[in-house]
Amino acid sequence: MTGYADYMMVLSPGDGICEQVVKYKADAEGIIGNYEGLHSKAHISIKNMPRRKPYLAQPELMGLKNNLQLLPPVTLTIDGFDFFTHGDEYRTIYAKIRSTTHTTQWFKALKKSLGIKDYLVPHITIARNIDVCAHNSLWRHFKGVKWVEDFEVSKLTILHRQAFDTFAHWQVYAEMPFEARHLVSEAPPRESLLKPFHGNYNPSQQISLF
C-alpha cells in the first residue's frame, strides 16, 4: 500500500452475532429501504486513524502488540437496542453492550493500552446516521425487540485501506490477541448503575467497513 492509508481498530463478534446483525439490517431495510452502512459487517469501533503514512503508522501499530497481550479476553453481552442522537436531524440505532464493572474496567484498560482518551460507548451499529423520520419508523420496531446474547472477544483487529479512494475496501492488516488470564487489580464484578446513553454522539466514531 503506497501513499496514505486509513487504519481502524475494531473488536469483532463471532459469526453467530454477525449473522444476526445481517438479519436485523435486513429487517431495517424492509421498513425504511436502503441506507448507509446496510452492508457493513458487525463490529465494535475502537479507534480510527485516517490518512496516515504507512511507514510511520505501521511500526506504531505493531508496537501495541505487547500492551494488548497484557489484557485478557472478555465476554460481552448484547442487551437490546438503543440509539445515538446526532443534532436534531439524524439518529443511529445500535445493539447495546451491557455495561458492568468488569466491562468498564476492561475497556478502560484497552483505551489505556491504545492511548485513547476520547469517550467510548461500545456498541454494534444497525442503522447509522438515518434521518429522524426513518428513525421514528424503525425505532417503533427495534424498541420492542429483546436480544440478549453473550460473545467473547479475544483479539483486536486492525483494518487498513487506501486513503482518498472512494472504492477502497477495508482489509485486515493485523490481529492482536488478548492473552492475559485476568485484569490487573480487577475488582469483583458487579452490575454497573450506568444508564443508557442518549446524548449527542460524534458520528465520526461510526465508520462503515464498506
Side-chain angles (χ1 to χ4, degrees), residues 32-201:
I32 65 172
N34 188 38
Y35 61 90
E36 180 183 359
L38 172 61
H39 301 292
S40 64
K41 187 176 180 180
H43 65 284
I44 299 174
S45 298
I46 299 299
K47 185 176 181 179
N48 182 30
M49 298 172 59
R51 302 177 184 178
R52 301 290 300 274
K53 282 286 188 180
Y55 76 89
L56 294 175
Q58 291 175 0
E60 176 186 347
L61 291 170
M62 297 311 296
L64 299 172
K65 187 173 182 179
N66 290 338
N67 288 341
L68 293 171
Q69 288 176 337
L70 300 178
L71 285 172
V74 64
T75 298
L76 303 176
T77 302
I78 293 174
D79 190 4
F81 298 89
D82 208 333
F83 62 90
F84 296 123
T85 298
H86 313 301
D88 296 328
E89 297 182 357
Y90 296 97
R91 306 285 187 269
T92 291
I93 294 176
Y94 62 91
K96 293 190 300 183
I97 303 300
R98 183 182 294 168
S99 178
T100 68
T101 298
H102 174 69
T103 59
T104 297
Q105 290 176 338
W106 190 88
F107 277 104
K108 182 178 179 180
L110 177 65
K111 288 173 59 178
K112 183 177 181 180
S113 297
L114 300 176
I116 298 173
K117 296 182 180 180
D118 295 335
Y119 185 55
L120 177 65
V121 182
H123 62 279
I124 299 175
T125 298
I126 302 297
R128 173 179 178 262
N129 210 31
I130 57 177
D131 63 55
V132 172
C133 182
H135 163 79
N136 291 341
S137 297
L138 203 53
W139 186 241
R140 283 195 291 269
H141 169 74
F142 277 99
K143 69 179 180 180
V145 175
K146 305 297 182 184
W147 184 21
V148 178
E149 187 170 351
D150 295 340
F151 63 97
E152 184 179 67
V153 174
S154 60
K155 63 188 176 184
L156 179 81
T157 300
I158 300 175
L159 307 171
H160 69 157
R161 68 180 180 186
Q162 188 76 38
F164 308 111
D165 183 348
T166 304
F167 302 102
H169 293 284
W170 289 104
Q171 298 178 339
V172 174
Y173 171 71
E175 294 181 327
M176 300 184 179
F178 307 126
E179 297 183 346
R181 297 184 63 183
H182 55 79
L183 281 173
V184 177
S185 302
E186 184 181 63
R190 64 180 178 84
E191 291 297 320
S192 171
L193 297 180
L194 292 177
K195 297 181 179 179
F197 178 77
H198 287 287
N200 288 328
Y201 180 69

